Amino acid sequence: MRLTGKGFSPFDIRGIYPDDVNEEVAYRVGRSLVKLFHVERAAIGRDVRLSSPELLKYAIKGMQDAGADVMDIGMCGTEMIYFAVAHYKLDGGIMITASHNPKEYNGMKLVQRGSRPISNDSGLRDIRHEVLFGRFKPTGYSLRRISHMDIMEDYVNHLLTYVDVNKLRPYKVVLNAGNGAAGPVVDALSKYLPFDIVKINNEPDGSFPNGVPNPLLVENREATVEAVLREGADFGVAWDGDFDRCFLVDEKGEFIDGYYMVGLLAKSFLEKEPGAAIIYDPRCIWNTEEICREYSGRAVMSKSGHAFIKERMRAEDAVYGGEMSAHHYFRDFSYCDSGMIPWLLVSELMSTDGRPLSEMVGSMRRSYPISGEVNSKVKDVDAVLRRVEEKYQAMGAVIDHTDGVSAAFDKWRFNLRKPNTEPVIRLNVETRGDRRLMEEKRDELLKEIRR
């Protein structure tokens, strides 16, 4: 099978199966992880994709051949690997998943002890080199032990520690697993919650008969929105394929942007732990900073990306970290991201606040209107970033380079970022209570970027 290295990104391994990611790659990744990180006991799991069982089998063989005992937790979400490695004090773990990518994709996410992420800066570059150029001789370890373990009860019990179930109101809730891996967790959680739960697309199915679960795409939100309105639900939740991100819809069928989710979750934690540190990314910041001031929280900005957020959370002992991309990180979850904890916390916050979700979010939308992330393809990303920065700095903006270029004026600000893999600029604009100004500045910036 081909070994191109094409599926390796700065944070994980992801590509088209079997061209970029295949059984040989999985075997070599498993073997390299054990060798380079001195893994004696490892966890492995997979999402629902049709190619995942074979990739899992070969990754297990690679880990065994390198001398590790392997705990196979079966079909699961990425956060269940995070949980298993930390909770059972294992040395590392592999999740076979391509998250929200189209169904012809697959990949792997890797962690070391304590569920610390393995990215380019912490060993993924070394694993790539070993996969492409390492010579793997027979080791005689192929009979190392493999165990199959159902961790659902331990995992669900941990999820329930984040909320006081006795405070939850009997809301009607639509839960859309998207035919991904979230369905079994929904089933296991539902018996402990007082909600009237309407399940849609709950059966795991790697052929994704209702479309690949990626609620960031507007067309993929329709099923959740329609079910909320049809059922008269108090809110709806949708997940991506490996459910490390969740997306909420209010009772009016309005999608809740990740920025405002960060505000809700920051408030949830600071009500319980005033003064705690909250980590957030630089794309949009003012709403989060205001909530931190109101509840005596310590607002700490970090570069976007799970490896950066997790590292900063550990350094600050932050109780929570959130990104606009709908990744939410929790200190008591080994500083890892979870797509199950957020909606539980929001339901508890609604229960104690008493207002409908649309009103809770509406006040934030009015105070800090945002453009949402707008992408522009350009020939020379760095040249455009320099040009835009110089123009707005000359106009008196305060410039910040935590992640890309941020420029702030008294009543509005923007952030420009470039991704790692494509010639694109991502723009986010926010204002202080002035939607018209936000739209005006968004259009002004897009004209400048695209000229």
Side-chain angles (χ1 to χ4, degrees), residues 211-279:
V212 175
N214 181 9
L216 274 181
L217 301 177
V218 174
E219 61 270 24
N220 287 10
R221 303 171 190 169
E222 293 176 2
T224 309
V225 170
E226 290 173 2
V228 166
L229 297 176
R230 181 181 66 248
E231 299 288 341
D234 294 288
F235 65 96
V237 186
W239 290 275
D240 59 359
D242 63 337
F243 68 85
D244 61 350
R245 296 180 300 160
C246 75
F247 304 82
L248 267 64
V249 172
D250 68 25
E251 81 283 0
K252 295 181 178 180
E254 291 291 323
F255 181 81
I256 297 174
D257 190 274
Y259 177 39
Y260 304 121
M261 280 290 292
V262 174
L264 288 172
L265 294 172
K267 180 180 178 182
S268 171
F269 279 104
L270 291 174
E271 283 184 344
K272 300 172 184 176
E273 194 175 329
I278 302 293
I279 309 294

Side-chain angles (χ1 to χ4, degrees), residues 353-381:
D353 184 285
R355 289 179 295 166
L357 187 53
S358 63
E359 290 186 22
M360 294 171 63
V361 176
S363 61
M364 294 188 286
R365 287 187 178 126
R366 290 188 294 273
S367 296
Y368 298 103
I370 60 172
S371 62
E373 194 155 82
V374 186
N375 295 333
S376 301
K377 286 191 175 182
V378 297
K379 290 184 179 179
D380 189 336
V381 171

Side-chain angles (χ1 to χ4, degrees), residues 2-31:
R2 296 176 61 195
L3 292 171
T4 66
K6 188 177 176 182
F8 282 79
S9 78
F11 298 113
D12 60 17
I13 303 160
R14 204 176 302 185
I16 294 174
Y17 173 87
D19 296 339
D20 306 324
V21 177
N22 51 47
E23 287 78 4
E24 181 67 17
V25 171
Y27 174 84
R28 287 171 172 252
V29 167
R31 194 151 170 182

